Amino acid sequence: MVKNTALTNIHIALGAKMAPFAGFNMPVQYSGIYDEHEAVRNGVGVFDVSHMGEFILKGEHALELIQQISSNDAAKLLNGKVQYAYLPNETGGIVDDLLIYRIDEQTYMLVVNAANIKKDWDWISAYNTYGVTLKDISDETALFAVQGPRAAEVLAPLTEIDLAGMAYYTFHKGIFAGVSNVLISATGYTGAGGFEVYVANKDAERVWHAIMEAGASYGIKPAGLGARDTLRLEMGFCLYGNDIDDTTSPLEAGLGWVTKFNKDFVNAAHLLEQKSAGLQQKLVGFEMIDRGIPRQGYVIKDEAGAVIGRVTSGTQSPTLRRSIGLGYVTLAHAKEGSSIYIDIRNNPVRATVVKPPFLK
């Protein structure tokens, strides 16, 4: 059964094109992907991303549990700080990627992908031999991503929290739009700057209307999952289920920067072994030289026509006005500037390997 968010009726009333995504009825677009993308890149837009999952981990040994299940070093977190990490599985792949919020010394919030809520919950629970109290608050939590260079100006009148002064990957709790206990973080998935606003479902409509009203004179637009995808791809951000999954190596996916071998975690020994032995392939960014839009699953070939990899994400970049993509290729072809060929309808279309972000 497809779930709704607290704002589904609002999206429908706004004329959004709705579609099932990760088990939820979600807005894909309103005024159009290009229009919404442009609003976020240059002004301000708001996404309903309430389909994401949120878990609270509480207890004396909460950090120990997090250190075991996640790749990054959560011991470095202070209160009010956020960290990006992934949950490694026992076979060399990735259970999910996530954000870790340290609320206090014994309380953390994990934000996980919508499609993986049950999988992640079961995974974390299976490792919880520490007596940590786990609470899944996903179904009672709404989440808005207010993104774009004007986001701080738009939201400032709604709260006393100093949004403009908030460092990247930090958060505060406070009163927002007259609602208490709202968590606001300076995170995002667009590369355009902005904030994510966590609020109880019962207050979701009130907060949504307040944001839209505050942003009206700035040309704020509701944005759907279509623009979210083009925005994240311009930054070269991975999407779980496309670029990373249960079978992909986090090291080959370029997640070595959040893989900390100064502690023991699930499958650390195997990953360290892989790092020492050398990688077989690598996730790279590429720009199309010839005409054609790369799509997930398309085969990547070398000049001689031998298969060297596959596309994991691809789109026509609204900002750059050219086609871009991510894909795994053999190490010999992963160097910046390498020519590769995307097999589009049995036609090899030339592309060049570039280092993300595509939008410099």
PDB file of all heavy atoms in Angstrom, residues 246-267:
ATOM      1  N   ASP A 246      23.313  -2.448  -2.069  1.00  0.00           N
ATOM      2  CA  ASP A 246      23.812  -3.592  -1.286  1.00  0.00           C
ATOM      3  C   ASP A 246      25.013  -4.278  -1.919  1.00  0.00           C
ATOM      4  O   ASP A 246      25.731  -5.015  -1.260  1.00  0.00           O
ATOM      5  CB  ASP A 246      22.693  -4.637  -1.113  1.00  0.00           C
ATOM      6  CG  ASP A 246      21.642  -4.172  -0.117  1.00  0.00           C
ATOM      7  OD1 ASP A 246      22.001  -3.943   1.049  1.00  0.00           O
ATOM      8  OD2 ASP A 246      20.465  -4.032  -0.506  1.00  0.00           O
ATOM      9  N   THR A 247      25.218  -4.055  -3.225  1.00  0.00           N
ATOM     10  CA  THR A 247      26.285  -4.771  -3.932  1.00  0.00           C
ATOM     11  C   THR A 247      27.485  -3.886  -4.280  1.00  0.00           C
ATOM     12  O   THR A 247      28.507  -4.391  -4.729  1.00  0.00           O
ATOM     13  CB  THR A 247      25.744  -5.380  -5.249  1.00  0.00           C
ATOM     14  OG1 THR A 247      25.384  -4.303  -6.131  1.00  0.00           O
ATOM     15  CG2 THR A 247      24.516  -6.250  -5.007  1.00  0.00           C
ATOM     16  N   THR A 248      27.361  -2.574  -4.103  1.00  0.00           N
ATOM     17  CA  THR A 248      28.460  -1.679  -4.502  1.00  0.00           C
ATOM     18  C   THR A 248      29.446  -1.475  -3.362  1.00  0.00           C
ATOM     19  O   THR A 248      29.057  -1.331  -2.211  1.00  0.00           O
ATOM     20  CB  THR A 248      27.933  -0.297  -4.955  1.00  0.00           C
ATOM     21  OG1 THR A 248      27.072   0.219  -3.933  1.00  0.00           O
ATOM     22  CG2 THR A 248      27.180  -0.369  -6.259  1.00  0.00           C
ATOM     23  N   SER A 249      30.720  -1.426  -3.706  1.00  0.00           N
ATOM     24  CA  SER A 249      31.758  -1.152  -2.704  1.00  0.00           C
ATOM     25  C   SER A 249      31.762   0.340  -2.373  1.00  0.00           C
ATOM     26  O   SER A 249      31.835   1.177  -3.272  1.00  0.00           O
ATOM     27  CB  SER A 249      33.124  -1.536  -3.265  1.00  0.00           C
ATOM     28  OG  SER A 249      34.148  -0.812  -2.593  1.00  0.00           O
ATOM     29  N   PRO A 250      31.700   0.679  -1.085  1.00  0.00           N
ATOM     30  CA  PRO A 250      31.757   2.105  -0.722  1.00  0.00           C
ATOM     31  C   PRO A 250      33.053   2.769  -1.166  1.00  0.00           C
ATOM     32  O   PRO A 250      33.065   3.951  -1.481  1.00  0.00           O
ATOM     33  CB  PRO A 250      31.628   2.094   0.799  1.00  0.00           C
ATOM     34  CG  PRO A 250      31.904   0.693   1.231  1.00  0.00           C
ATOM     35  CD  PRO A 250      31.534  -0.184   0.092  1.00  0.00           C
ATOM     36  N   LEU A 251      34.135   2.001  -1.205  1.00  0.00           N
ATOM     37  CA  LEU A 251      35.431   2.578  -1.622  1.00  0.00           C
ATOM     38  C   LEU A 251      35.422   2.867  -3.118  1.00  0.00           C
ATOM     39  O   LEU A 251      35.908   3.908  -3.564  1.00  0.00           O
ATOM     40  CB  LEU A 251      36.576   1.630  -1.253  1.00  0.00           C
ATOM     41  CG  LEU A 251      36.701   1.298   0.246  1.00  0.00           C
ATOM     42  CD1 LEU A 251      37.864   0.352   0.483  1.00  0.00           C
ATOM     43  CD2 LEU A 251      36.845   2.561   1.091  1.00  0.00           C
ATOM     44  N   GLU A 252      34.837   1.957  -3.896  1.00  0.00           N
ATOM     45  CA  GLU A 252      34.729   2.192  -5.344  1.00  0.00           C
ATOM     46  C   GLU A 252      33.728   3.302  -5.643  1.00  0.00           C
ATOM     47  O   GLU A 252      33.820   3.952  -6.676  1.00  0.00           O
ATOM     48  CB  GLU A 252      34.333   0.889  -6.049  1.00  0.00           C
ATOM     49  CG  GLU A 252      35.439  -0.149  -5.992  1.00  0.00           C
ATOM     50  CD  GLU A 252      35.132  -1.459  -6.704  1.00  0.00           C
ATOM     51  OE1 GLU A 252      33.942  -1.743  -6.970  1.00  0.00           O
ATOM     52  OE2 GLU A 252      36.084  -2.204  -6.993  1.00  0.00           O
ATOM     53  N   ALA A 253      32.796   3.529  -4.707  1.00  0.00           N
ATOM     54  CA  ALA A 253      31.801   4.595  -4.870  1.00  0.00           C
ATOM     55  C   ALA A 253      32.338   5.957  -4.433  1.00  0.00           C
ATOM     56  O   ALA A 253      31.606   6.954  -4.448  1.00  0.00           O
ATOM     57  CB  ALA A 253      30.538   4.261  -4.076  1.00  0.00           C
ATOM     58  N   GLY A 254      33.613   6.001  -4.019  1.00  0.00           N
ATOM     59  CA  GLY A 254      34.206   7.275  -3.622  1.00  0.00           C
ATOM     60  C   GLY A 254      33.850   7.702  -2.215  1.00  0.00           C
ATOM     61  O   GLY A 254      33.936   8.882  -1.873  1.00  0.00           O
ATOM     62  N   LEU A 255      33.454   6.735  -1.368  1.00  0.00           N
ATOM     63  CA  LEU A 255      33.071   7.074   0.004  1.00  0.00           C
ATOM     64  C   LEU A 255      34.191   6.786   1.004  1.00  0.00           C
ATOM     65  O   LEU A 255      33.953   6.670   2.202  1.00  0.00           O
ATOM     66  CB  LEU A 255      31.794   6.319   0.399  1.00  0.00           C
ATOM     67  CG  LEU A 255      30.536   6.693  -0.411  1.00  0.00           C
ATOM     68  CD1 LEU A 255      29.338   5.871   0.033  1.00  0.00           C
ATOM     69  CD2 LEU A 255      30.219   8.188  -0.291  1.00  0.00           C
ATOM     70  N   GLY A 256      35.423   6.701   0.495  1.00  0.00           N
ATOM     71  CA  GLY A 256      36.576   6.517   1.371  1.00  0.00           C
ATOM     72  C   GLY A 256      36.707   7.637   2.397  1.00  0.00           C
ATOM     73  O   GLY A 256      37.185   7.420   3.508  1.00  0.00           O
ATOM     74  N   TRP A 257      36.253   8.832   2.028  1.00  0.00           N
ATOM     75  CA  TRP A 257      36.365   9.997   2.927  1.00  0.00           C
ATOM     76  C   TRP A 257      35.495   9.870   4.176  1.00  0.00           C
ATOM     77  O   TRP A 257      35.724  10.567   5.174  1.00  0.00           O
ATOM     78  CB  TRP A 257      36.063  11.291   2.167  1.00  0.00           C
ATOM     79  CG  TRP A 257      34.643  11.422   1.687  1.00  0.00           C
ATOM     80  CD1 TRP A 257      34.074  10.784   0.625  1.00  0.00           C
ATOM     81  CD2 TRP A 257      33.610  12.249   2.246  1.00  0.00           C
ATOM     82  NE1 TRP A 257      32.751  11.146   0.481  1.00  0.00           N
ATOM     83  CE2 TRP A 257      32.437  12.048   1.466  1.00  0.00           C
ATOM     84  CE3 TRP A 257      33.546  13.133   3.318  1.00  0.00           C
ATOM     85  CZ2 TRP A 257      31.228  12.698   1.736  1.00  0.00           C
ATOM     86  CZ3 TRP A 257      32.333  13.780   3.581  1.00  0.00           C
ATOM     87  CH2 TRP A 257      31.198  13.566   2.794  1.00  0.00           C
ATOM     88  N   VAL A 258      34.492   8.988   4.153  1.00  0.00           N
ATOM     89  CA  VAL A 258      33.677   8.758   5.360  1.00  0.00           C
ATOM     90  C   VAL A 258      33.866   7.324   5.866  1.00  0.00           C
ATOM     91  O   VAL A 258      33.011   6.769   6.535  1.00  0.00           O
ATOM     92  CB  VAL A 258      32.176   9.073   5.144  1.00  0.00           C
ATOM     93  CG1 VAL A 258      31.958  10.562   4.997  1.00  0.00           C
ATOM     94  CG2 VAL A 258      31.589   8.319   3.958  1.00  0.00           C
ATOM     95  N   THR A 259      35.006   6.730   5.515  1.00  0.00           N
ATOM     96  CA  THR A 259      35.345   5.381   5.977  1.00  0.00           C
ATOM     97  C   THR A 259      36.551   5.505   6.892  1.00  0.00           C
ATOM     98  O   THR A 259      37.669   5.710   6.421  1.00  0.00           O
ATOM     99  CB  THR A 259      35.666   4.462   4.776  1.00  0.00           C
ATOM    100  OG1 THR A 259      34.594   4.539   3.821  1.00  0.00           O
ATOM    101  CG2 THR A 259      35.842   3.019   5.215  1.00  0.00           C
ATOM    102  N   LYS A 260      36.320   5.413   8.200  1.00  0.00           N
ATOM    103  CA  LYS A 260      37.385   5.685   9.177  1.00  0.00           C
ATOM    104  C   LYS A 260      37.881   4.390   9.816  1.00  0.00           C
ATOM    105  O   LYS A 260      37.172   3.770  10.612  1.00  0.00           O
ATOM    106  CB  LYS A 260      36.874   6.650  10.260  1.00  0.00           C
ATOM    107  CG  LYS A 260      36.278   7.950   9.715  1.00  0.00           C
ATOM    108  CD  LYS A 260      37.292   8.779   8.954  1.00  0.00           C
ATOM    109  CE  LYS A 260      36.678  10.111   8.524  1.00  0.00           C
ATOM    110  NZ  LYS A 260      37.510  10.869   7.627  1.00  0.00           N
ATOM    111  N   PHE A 261      39.095   4.017   9.445  1.00  0.00           N
ATOM    112  CA  PHE A 261      39.664   2.752   9.925  1.00  0.00           C
ATOM    113  C   PHE A 261      40.351   2.890  11.291  1.00  0.00           C
ATOM    114  O   PHE A 261      41.029   1.979  11.739  1.00  0.00           O
ATOM    115  CB  PHE A 261      40.641   2.190   8.894  1.00  0.00           C
ATOM    116  CG  PHE A 261      39.964   1.752   7.612  1.00  0.00           C
ATOM    117  CD1 PHE A 261      40.183   2.437   6.419  1.00  0.00           C
ATOM    118  CD2 PHE A 261      39.097   0.665   7.601  1.00  0.00           C
ATOM    119  CE1 PHE A 261      39.554   2.031   5.237  1.00  0.00           C
ATOM    120  CE2 PHE A 261      38.471   0.257   6.425  1.00  0.00           C
ATOM    121  CZ  PHE A 261      38.700   0.942   5.245  1.00  0.00           C
ATOM    122  N   ASN A 262      40.158   4.034  11.955  1.00  0.00           N
ATOM    123  CA  ASN A 262      40.725   4.202  13.296  1.00  0.00           C
ATOM    124  C   ASN A 262      39.819   3.594  14.369  1.00  0.00           C
ATOM    125  O   ASN A 262      40.024   3.767  15.555  1.00  0.00           O
ATOM    126  CB  ASN A 262      40.936   5.704  13.595  1.00  0.00           C
ATOM    127  CG  ASN A 262      39.626   6.480  13.589  1.00  0.00           C
ATOM    128  OD1 ASN A 262      38.667   6.098  12.923  1.00  0.00           O
ATOM    129  ND2 ASN A 262      39.566   7.575  14.327  1.00  0.00           N
ATOM    130  N   LYS A 263      38.780   2.875  13.926  1.00  0.00           N
ATOM    131  CA  LYS A 263      37.855   2.211  14.855  1.00  0.00           C
ATOM    132  C   LYS A 263      37.392   0.931  14.177  1.00  0.00           C
ATOM    133  O   LYS A 263      37.587   0.749  12.971  1.00  0.00           O
ATOM    134  CB  LYS A 263      36.657   3.117  15.159  1.00  0.00           C
ATOM    135  CG  LYS A 263      35.907   3.511  13.892  1.00  0.00           C
ATOM    136  CD  LYS A 263      34.509   4.009  14.130  1.00  0.00           C
ATOM    137  CE  LYS A 263      33.675   3.844  12.860  1.00  0.00           C
ATOM    138  NZ  LYS A 263      32.259   3.967  13.067  1.00  0.00           N
ATOM    139  N   ASP A 264      36.770   0.058  14.964  1.00  0.00           N
ATOM    140  CA  ASP A 264      36.260  -1.182  14.377  1.00  0.00           C
ATOM    141  C   ASP A 264      34.791  -0.974  14.016  1.00  0.00           C
ATOM    142  O   ASP A 264      34.039  -0.396  14.789  1.00  0.00           O
ATOM    143  CB  ASP A 264      36.414  -2.344  15.362  1.00  0.00           C
ATOM    144  CG  ASP A 264      36.137  -3.679  14.675  1.00  0.00           C
ATOM    145  OD1 ASP A 264      36.391  -3.783  13.459  1.00  0.00           O
ATOM    146  OD2 ASP A 264      35.652  -4.601  15.353  1.00  0.00           O
ATOM    147  N   PHE A 265      34.400  -1.401  12.836  1.00  0.00           N
ATOM    148  CA  PHE A 265      32.989  -1.331  12.441  1.00  0.00           C
ATOM    149  C   PHE A 265      32.681  -2.523  11.539  1.00  0.00           C
ATOM    150  O   PHE A 265      33.594  -3.250  11.126  1.00  0.00           O
ATOM    151  CB  PHE A 265      32.666   0.010  11.760  1.00  0.00           C
ATOM    152  CG  PHE A 265      33.464   0.286  10.515  1.00  0.00           C
ATOM    153  CD1 PHE A 265      33.036  -0.172   9.270  1.00  0.00           C
ATOM    154  CD2 PHE A 265      34.640   1.022  10.566  1.00  0.00           C
ATOM    155  CE1 PHE A 265      33.762   0.087   8.103  1.00  0.00           C
ATOM    156  CE2 PHE A 265      35.376   1.290   9.408  1.00  0.00           C
ATOM    157  CZ  PHE A 265      34.936   0.822   8.175  1.00  0.00           C
ATOM    158  N   VAL A 266      31.421  -2.713  11.239  1.00  0.00           N
ATOM    159  CA  VAL A 266      30.987  -3.857  10.426  1.00  0.00           C
ATOM    160  C   VAL A 266      31.800  -3.941   9.132  1.00  0.00           C
ATOM    161  O   VAL A 266      31.872  -2.971   8.375  1.00  0.00           O
ATOM    162  CB  VAL A 266      29.476  -3.730  10.089  1.00  0.00           C
ATOM    163  CG1 VAL A 266      29.052  -4.835   9.117  1.00  0.00           C
ATOM    164  CG2 VAL A 266      28.632  -3.794  11.348  1.00  0.00           C
ATOM    165  N   ASN A 267      32.424  -5.086   8.897  1.00  0.00           N
ATOM    166  CA  ASN A 267      33.152  -5.382   7.666  1.00  0.00           C
ATOM    167  C   ASN A 267      34.386  -4.498   7.419  1.00  0.00           C
ATOM    168  O   ASN A 267      34.877  -4.410   6.299  1.00  0.00           O
ATOM    169  CB  ASN A 267      32.214  -5.304   6.454  1.00  0.00           C
ATOM    170  CG  ASN A 267      32.623  -6.270   5.360  1.00  0.00           C
ATOM    171  OD1 ASN A 267      33.128  -7.351   5.624  1.00  0.00           O
ATOM    172  ND2 ASN A 267      32.449  -5.874   4.123  1.00  0.00           N
TER     173      ASN A 267
END
